[in-house]
């Protein structure tokens, strides 16, 4: 082979490399900013969650229906395929998803650097630091006056947020003084202020698998999550409504939290 | 030359004008200042200022985040004594925290709230809260600003909810103005509401008892009995009721026989078995008038309390080690009757008449 042939091979190689990389970098500039939407679709196994009317069966063989289901999502982080991480600014990173309020099912993260996102993580609940701040640092969904009645997500006698709240009824639940057979799980516990106690702060990391969420200046991808209530009952310990109809701030709550971290999975992504 | 003269006189003229303008401006601003100082319907007291008493340690509460002002204090006082904070308007904070009883509920073992319902425990005094790091007898609330949420929303106390309270305040004829005076605008937020209540409570400082004047060399003297009591107290009680606040702020089991088994004290917060039946060591300031005593108000008199420490302490897995061994191998604190009387005489020197009667802290002015 002569010098010319060598030269043309190298030239082709260099050119195609250039071509490939430019293809990869396609339409966006890393300094662009866009939005990313996360959808929380609450389900029970293979069924959609229908408050009050839907009936479901857990692994303990108990039939139940759900009257209230809500949870905090916070401290969201996103990661691109090339390993860039975007940490949503802390004070804009608190959300409350309430099954009975459709507008809370999708949350929009603004100012996300353009990129191809393939992973994300979030806390189910509220981080311990925010749990200890004074009321001026508790605004929006964290305002202790934001929710009343059954929607309340704050323990005032034992300062701390409730992370996940689910209530409903089951024929297997013992009859209460009001004649109803209810179960009530109010799960919280950030680890304690001056003495350690239960810590139910759970971080969920989710890979998008082969899918990519492409954030661009003018394109907002939607990451659809399925949140399976059945996983709250069925997991490393199967929760029985009959034996634990009411779980609030108590050691048993750890079992439910260990289960519910697995509720979340990526279903599909719209670009 | 004339030219210069004219120039000078022109300059002079200008100077005079400027001066008279300045004078007018000055007068105007003094007048507005005077006008601004005119009381509307309330005159904030001039003495409202948070001062650390000379014999006290530095406060725990971060006053830089909520500086006490006369207007903020006044708003807090109004809120503290306002039944509007309860569901039916009948119960104010002051209903259970009465100044003449050092802000406890006089004559009740466990507090009574709305519809005469019972609370879990005996009311705590509102005093020297800037030096407390955790609130409640079990320490469940760790910021004074967050405290009021609990009594307001507790169905046995005020049975109201916070958003409702804020709405009532927004619609009220006077509160928007009081919030403006305190915080610069009429916005009524959770944060401002809670901070105003804290400002009033932070100013409930009790530091002018006979004992204080004695330790600060302000001319007060203790009798021989009181001095003997103080010496005994330092020897036998101050390991827990320590320092000038008379508490080390820890949670301990002082050997009371279990009353209400549901009330496991600190254990309710930590869920740690080692904390079963431990309660916060209370301050003993104004203890003469905060009767009845202990978390459930089981003892009516100080004599009963001292008698209990001498003879009634019950052993249990979480009994404080300091109380495990009395001289006779029996748990408690060995105290003769005379010693008990001497300690009581000393405890009464902790009564602060000025605090119990201070006009600024009163519901009525």
């Amino acid at each position: 082979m002569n010098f010319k042939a060598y030269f043309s091979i190298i030239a082709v190689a260099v050119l195609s490399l250039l071509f490939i990389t430019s293809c990869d970098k396609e339409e966006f500039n890393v300094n662009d900013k866009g939005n990313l939407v996360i959808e929380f679709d609450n389900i029970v196994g293979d069924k959609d969650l229908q408050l009050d009317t839907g009936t479901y069966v857990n692994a303990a063989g108990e039939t139940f229906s759900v009257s209230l289901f809500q949870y905090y999502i916070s401290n969201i982080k996103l990661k691109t395929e090339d390993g860039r991480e975007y940490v949503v600014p802390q004070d804009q990173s608190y959300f409350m998803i309430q099954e009975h309020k459709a507008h809370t099912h999708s949350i929009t993260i603004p100012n996300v650097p353009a990129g191809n996102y393939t992973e994300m993580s979030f806390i189910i609940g509220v981080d311990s630091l925010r749990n200890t701040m004074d009321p001026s640092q508790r605004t929006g969904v964290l305002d202790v006056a934001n929710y009343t009645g059954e929607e309340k997500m704050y323990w005032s006698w034992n300062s701390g947020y409730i992370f996940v709240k689910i209530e409903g009824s089951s024929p297997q639940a013992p009859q209460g003084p009001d004649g109803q057979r209810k179960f009530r799980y109010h799960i919280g516990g950030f680890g304690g202020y001056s003495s350690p106690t239960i810590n139910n702060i759970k971080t969920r990391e989710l890979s998008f698998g082969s899918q990519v969420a492409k954030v661009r200046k003018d394109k907002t991808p939607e990451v659809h999550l399925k949140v399976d209530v059945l996983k709250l009952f069925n997991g490393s310990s199967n929760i029985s409504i009959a034996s634990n109809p009411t779980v609030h701030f108590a050691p048993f709550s750890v079992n439910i939290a260990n289960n519910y971290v697995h509720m979340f999975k990526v279903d599909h992504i719209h670009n | 030359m004339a030219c210069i003269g004219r120039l000078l006189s022109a300059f002079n003229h200008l100077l005079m004008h400027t001066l008279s303008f300045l004078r007018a401006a000055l007068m105007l601003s003094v007048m507005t200042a005077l006008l601004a100082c005119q009381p509307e319907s309330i005159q904030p007291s001039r003495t409202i200022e948070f001062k650390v008493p000379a014999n006290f340690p530095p406060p725990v509460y971060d006053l830089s985040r909520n500086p006490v002002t006369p207007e903020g204090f006044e708003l807090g006082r109004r809120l503290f004594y306002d039944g509007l904070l309860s569901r039916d308007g009948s119960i104010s904070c002051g209903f259970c925290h009465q100044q003449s009883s050092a802000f406890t509920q006089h004559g009740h073992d466990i507090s009574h709230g709305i519809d005469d319902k019972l609370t879990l425990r005996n009311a705590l005094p509102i005093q020297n809260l800037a030096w407390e790091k955790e609130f409640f007898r079990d320490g469940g609330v760790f910021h004074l600003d967050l405290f009021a949420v609990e009594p307001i929303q507790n169905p046995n106390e005020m049975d109201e909810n916070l958003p409702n309270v804020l709405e009532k305040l927004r619609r009220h004829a006077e509160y928007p103005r009081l919030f403006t005076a305190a915080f610069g605008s009429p916005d009524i937020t959770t944060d401002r509401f809670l901070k105003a209540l804290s400002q009033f409570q932070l100013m409930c400082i009790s530091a002018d008892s006979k004992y204080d004047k004695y330790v600060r060399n302000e001319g007060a003297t203790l009798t021989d009995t009181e001095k003997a009591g103080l010496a005994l107290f330092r020897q036998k009680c101050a390991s827990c009721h320590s320092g000038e606040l008379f508490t080390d702020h820890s949670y301990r089991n002082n050997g009371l026989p279990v009353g209400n088994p549901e009330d496991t004290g600190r254990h309710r917060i930590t869920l740690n078995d080692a904390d079963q039946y431990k309660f916060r060591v209370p301050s003993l300031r104004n203890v003469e008038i905060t009767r009845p005593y202990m978390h459930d108000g089981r003892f009516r008199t100080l004599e009963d309390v001292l008698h209990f420490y001498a003879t009634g302490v019950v052993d249990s897995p979480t009994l404080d080690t300091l109380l495990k061994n009395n001289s006779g191998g029996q748990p408690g604190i060995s105290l003769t009757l005379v010693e008990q009387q001497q300690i009581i005489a000393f405890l009464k020197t902790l009564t602060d008449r000025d605090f119990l009667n201070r006009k600024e802290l009163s519901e009525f002015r």
Side-chain angles (χ1 to χ4, degrees):
Chain A
M1 234 186 269
N2 61 16
F3 173 76
K4 243 180 167 173
Y6 270 124
F7 180 79
S8 48
I9 288 169
I10 289 170
V12 166
V14 167
L15 274 174
S16 53
L17 207 75
L18 274 175
F19 185 71
I20 289 166
T21 38
S22 72
C23 243
D24 214 11
K25 285 244 146 57
E26 12 160 326
E27 337 94 89
F28 73 92
N29 175 336
V30 284
N31 297 319
D32 286 347
K33 301 259 196 285
N35 297 336
L36 180 135
V37 167
I38 308 172
E39 279 267 341
F40 295 85
D41 184 6
N42 299 324
I43 59 167
V44 192
D46 53 5
K47 299 181 186 159
D48 192 34
L49 173 59
Q50 298 285 345
L51 288 182
D52 300 318
T53 54
T55 53
Y56 316 98
V57 181
N58 65 17
E62 300 162 323
T63 306
F64 66 94
S65 64
V66 178
S67 57
L68 181 81
F69 182 49
Q70 52 184 30
Y71 45 89
Y72 277 114
I73 295 293
S74 72
N75 292 271
I76 299 172
K77 294 178 185 163
L78 303 164
K79 212 175 201 174
T80 61
E81 57 188 3
D82 46 359
R84 282 184 295 137
E85 190 178 56
Y86 178 62
V87 180
V88 179
Q90 233 251 340
D91 53 359
Q92 297 160 31
S93 205
Y94 295 92
F95 301 92
M96 164 100 105
I97 317 298
Q98 300 178 285
E99 173 61 16
H100 61 288
K101 287 187 180 159
H103 72 270
T104 65
H105 296 180
S106 100
I107 64 181
T108 302
I109 317 287
N111 296 318
V112 181
N116 294 335
Y117 288 86
T118 52
E119 280 171 56
M120 74 174 176
S121 73
F122 49 78
I123 287 178
I124 306 153
V126 175
D127 55 287
S128 58
L129 195 62
R130 190 65 59 163
N131 263 290
T132 63
M133 288 180 174
D134 79 69
S136 66
Q137 312 287 309
R138 300 164 182 253
T139 52
V141 295
L142 296 176
D143 188 333
V144 293
N146 214 29
Y147 302 102
T148 60
E150 61 180 13
E151 287 192 331
K152 226 181 288 170
M153 291 292 265
Y154 175 72
W155 283 315
S156 54
W157 58 277
N158 178 15
S159 309
Y161 290 98
I162 296 169
F163 302 156
V164 174
K165 197 169 189 175
I166 183 166
E167 297 186 355
S169 49
S170 165
Q172 276 78 27
Q175 197 165 16
D178 54 358
Q180 297 192 330
R181 298 180 181 279
K182 300 272 286 177
F183 71 91
R184 295 184 179 87
Y185 299 158
H186 301 178
I187 313 299
F190 67 88
Y193 180 66
S194 61
S195 323
T197 183
I198 49 172
N199 186 336
N200 280 327
I201 295 176
K202 299 283 172 204
T203 303
R204 179 67 169 153
E205 284 163 13
L206 289 171
S207 154
F208 299 169
S210 57
Q211 306 181 77
V212 174
K214 297 180 179 171
V215 176
R216 303 290 183 267
K217 195 163 60 183
D218 50 1
K219 273 196 209 136
T220 301
E222 286 175 22
V223 179
H224 283 250
L225 305 184
K226 292 261 192 228
V227 186
D228 186 356
V229 171
L230 219 43
K231 296 255 165 63
L232 181 148
F233 289 97
N234 311 343
S236 47
S237 36
N238 287 335
I239 310 300
S240 152
I241 294 173
S243 5
N244 292 286
T246 304
V247 182
H248 292 173
F249 186 68
F252 188 81
S253 67
V254 173
N255 299 320
I256 298 180
N258 284 340
N259 280 358
Y260 70 49
V261 65
H262 300 293
M263 284 192 301
F264 302 84
K265 84 171 213 284
V266 178
D267 189 61
H268 62 278
I269 294 172
H270 286 304
N271 277 298
Chain B
M1 220 34 212
C3 177
I4 291 175
R6 227 176 5 251
L7 210 79
L8 266 178
S9 91
F11 182 65
N12 215 355
H13 208 79
L14 198 77
L15 197 72
M16 293 301 287
H17 270 289
T18 322
L19 277 178
S20 63
F21 171 75
L22 277 178
R23 210 176 311 121
L26 193 73
M27 265 172 68
L28 202 75
S29 65
V30 166
M31 262 159 62
T32 24
L34 276 174
L35 271 175
C37 285
Q38 285 290 307
E40 296 192 49
S41 69
I42 45 132
Q43 165 99 61
S45 168
R46 309 240 159 252
T47 58
I48 298 307
E49 189 193 341
F50 185 90
K51 281 203 211 99
V52 178
N55 53 327
F56 275 30
V60 175
Y61 189 94
D62 182 356
L63 282 131
S64 71
R65 293 193 70 91
N66 185 21
V68 177
T69 62
E71 294 79 8
F73 167 85
E74 177 57 23
L75 170 59
R77 189 186 70 85
R78 291 281 293 264
L79 293 169
F80 190 85
Y81 289 114
D82 201 331
L84 175 154
L85 272 56
S86 68
R87 184 193 74 221
D88 60 4
S90 65
I91 311 282
S92 69
C93 308
F95 178 82
C96 294
H97 298 288
Q98 298 154 2
Q99 181 181 16
S100 55
S101 307
F103 294 99
T104 60
Q105 194 175 26
H106 184 70
H108 288 287
D109 45 4
I110 49 182
S111 279
H112 290 224
I114 203 156
D115 306 328
D116 217 19
K117 284 189 185 142
L118 296 178
T119 65
L120 183 62
R121 302 196 183 120
N122 179 240
L124 277 164
I126 308 292
Q127 62 177 0
N128 304 331
L129 294 185
W131 287 269
E132 211 64 72
K133 71 176 184 353
E134 288 163 333
F135 303 88
F136 278 134
R137 296 177 184 273
D138 55 23
V141 174
F142 41 71
H143 200 297
L144 181 60
D145 294 357
L146 290 169
F147 191 90
V149 188
E150 162 59 20
I152 290 172
Q153 303 200 147
N154 189 321
N156 296 334
E157 295 183 41
M158 305 170 94
D159 195 27
E160 182 48 294
N161 60 60
L162 207 43
N164 250 0
V165 172
L166 299 184
E167 260 320 294
K168 285 191 267 182
L169 293 173
R170 288 177 191 128
R171 288 197 310 264
H172 194 271
E174 288 173 62
Y175 277 111
R177 189 171 53 80
L178 295 171
F179 273 83
T180 308
F183 298 110
S185 76
D187 301 333
I188 297 180
T189 62
T190 311
D191 184 38
R192 287 175 167 190
F193 168 75
L194 295 174
K195 283 196 165 131
L197 269 173
S198 289
Q199 289 196 28
F200 172 75
Q201 297 179 82
L202 288 167
M203 290 304 294
C204 296
I205 297 174
S206 175
D208 280 315
S209 63
K210 181 170 164 188
Y211 163 83
D212 290 294
K213 291 176 182 155
Y214 169 74
V215 291
R216 291 198 301 254
N217 289 318
E218 290 171 1
T221 50
L222 300 190
T223 66
D224 287 345
T225 313
E226 290 164 350
K227 275 190 195 145
L230 172 58
L232 281 167
F233 182 88
R234 287 188 171 148
Q235 188 196 333
K236 307 208 175 210
C237 317
S239 41
C240 299
H241 298 281
S242 65
E244 294 301 275
L245 277 313
F246 297 90
T247 168
D248 65 355
H249 311 282
S250 67
Y251 304 88
R252 299 173 187 255
N253 179 343
N254 66 343
L256 295 167
V258 172
N260 171 4
E262 300 271 285
D263 189 2
T264 54
R266 183 64 177 159
H267 171 263
R268 279 166 35 102
I269 305 305
T270 64
L271 303 175
N272 180 349
D273 284 343
D275 288 333
Q276 292 259 13
Y277 303 111
K278 290 186 178 175
F279 292 90
R280 196 180 73 196
V281 176
S283 170
L284 298 180
R285 287 182 168 276
N286 295 303
V287 73
E288 179 186 3
I289 41 188
T290 60
R291 67 178 176 274
Y293 303 111
M294 305 302 169
H295 64 277
D296 51 7
R298 68 177 68 190
F299 296 133
R300 279 180 43 250
T301 63
L302 285 173
E303 281 74 13
D304 292 346
V305 171
L306 270 293
H307 183 70
F308 154 75
Y309 277 118
T311 64
V313 170
V314 182
D315 200 3
S316 73
T318 59
L319 175 66
D320 202 275
T321 48
L322 291 167
L323 296 171
K324 286 264 184 201
N325 270 311
N326 196 331
S327 54
Q330 188 224 327
I333 302 174
S334 66
L335 290 165
T336 65
L337 258 178
V338 173
E339 289 172 326
Q340 294 176 30
Q341 288 307 325
Q342 289 169 329
I343 290 179
I344 292 171
F346 159 68
L347 290 176
K348 291 184 175 170
T349 70
L350 295 173
T351 304
D352 179 352
R353 299 277 159 214
D354 169 65
F355 176 63
L356 304 173
N357 298 303
R358 203 180 300 157
K359 202 95 198 100
E360 300 95 66
L361 303 178
S362 152
E363 175 167 10
F364 311 102
R365 288 266 175 84

